[in-house]
Amino acid sequence: MTEYPDPTDPAAFPLVERGGLEVEGRLVEASNTTLLCRVESDGLAARAVYKPVTGERPLWDFPDGTLAGREVATYLISETAELGRVPPTVLREGPFGEGMVQLWVETADDEPVRVCAPDEVPPGFRVVLRAVDETGDPVVLAHSADPAVAELAVLDVVVNNTDRKGGHLLSGVDGRIYGVDHGVCLHRDPKLRTVLWGWVGEPLPDGVVDKLRKLRWSLDHGLGESLAAHLTVAEREALVRRTDALLAAGVFPTPGDDWHAIPWPLF
């Protein structure tokens, strides 16, 4: 039995899509029912996160579809455009009914987002916010300048992520950085809240622009139909507008004035 395949391994997606699920425990800090499972199929075994739709708490501003469906939609967008890395994610039946199943990412100690003293910011990190802690000492919110983090920052803009906390970025033992927890994304109205504001106003990298163009083409050639199972017409139209606006601007956007641009808590 091969344990815990690489999330980028082609075998990982069919494993989470069709493998047998056995619940091992519950992640109690999650706001909705989030279960840690073991998934097995064809000689492969891995851990996976399973979020049954029946365990979702209703949100007044996300009345349509399901949070599980929005997680899958974000994965489809990321995977199609090769923009950022989201672990293989599917909507399928599980022990407690239909839900999102996502490959578990084994993590390293390196944290791509940190709150620390100003003189402890790691080299190359970008400072997003300066504040004081409960004792009055100065602290900063900073994140890695790794190109993989920059791509996830762009993905946040595209999917209108309203809850990109620091703990939603994972440094895998494979050296890659993954984004997870995309249940409150893809609203039709602007709601972007993220800790990844370190590139405000800077030009988008050429490679990212190419990926956005690929996404835009895909939305008119198949991806839009795939997203229809999870998003309303208005939400899909808003996704197209955000992609067009980002391509036209060619720069990382500036936070809006109509809502809090950074989620709380930060992690």
Side-chain angles (χ1 to χ4, degrees), residues 108-241:
D109 293 334
D110 189 27
E111 297 176 347
V113 180
R114 303 185 189 183
V115 174
C116 57
D119 59 356
E120 295 177 353
V121 176
F125 268 51
R126 300 206 169 201
V127 174
V128 174
L129 178 68
R130 299 181 185 275
V132 294
D133 63 16
E134 63 275 7
T135 65
D137 293 325
V139 294
V140 298
L141 169 67
H143 63 67
S144 168
D146 190 301
V149 178
E151 286 202 13
L152 286 168
V154 174
L155 180 65
D156 281 350
V157 177
V158 168
V159 302
N160 196 20
N161 193 345
T162 191
D163 193 37
R164 174 67 81 196
K165 294 182 169 66
H168 298 170
L169 270 71
L170 307 178
S171 290
V173 294
D174 59 5
R176 302 180 179 95
I177 298 175
Y178 296 88
V180 298
D181 285 312
H182 298 111
V184 284
C185 290
L186 294 157
H187 199 283
R188 60 186 290 181
D189 300 325
K191 288 180 176 286
L192 180 60
R193 296 184 185 89
T194 176
V195 295
L196 304 180
W197 289 110
W199 291 275
V200 168
E202 295 186 20
L204 298 172
D206 290 342
V208 168
V209 172
D210 290 340
K211 292 180 179 185
L212 288 171
R213 288 174 177 153
K214 180 180 180 181
L215 171 62
R216 185 62 185 84
W217 184 90
S218 298
L219 287 169
D220 289 338
H221 296 84
L223 178 59
E225 293 180 9
S226 298
L227 296 176
H230 310 294
L231 305 174
T232 66
V233 171
E235 289 167 342
R236 301 197 308 275
E237 291 175 344
L239 169 61
V240 169
R241 289 195 299 272

Side-chain angles (χ1 to χ4, degrees), residues 1-2 14-15 18-19 40-45:
M1 185 74 69
T2 301
L15 175 61
R18 298 190 296 269
E40 294 186 12
S41 178
D42 298 328
L44 288 179

Side-chain angles (χ1 to χ4, degrees), residues 20-49:
L21 283 177
E22 179 182 350
V23 176
E24 293 185 335
R26 180 173 180 175
L27 304 180
V28 296
E29 294 183 359
S31 56
N32 294 285
T33 301
T34 303
L35 304 172
L36 178 63
C37 296
R38 181 178 175 85
V39 57
E40 294 186 12
S41 178
D42 298 328
L44 288 179
R47 287 196 176 100
V49 174

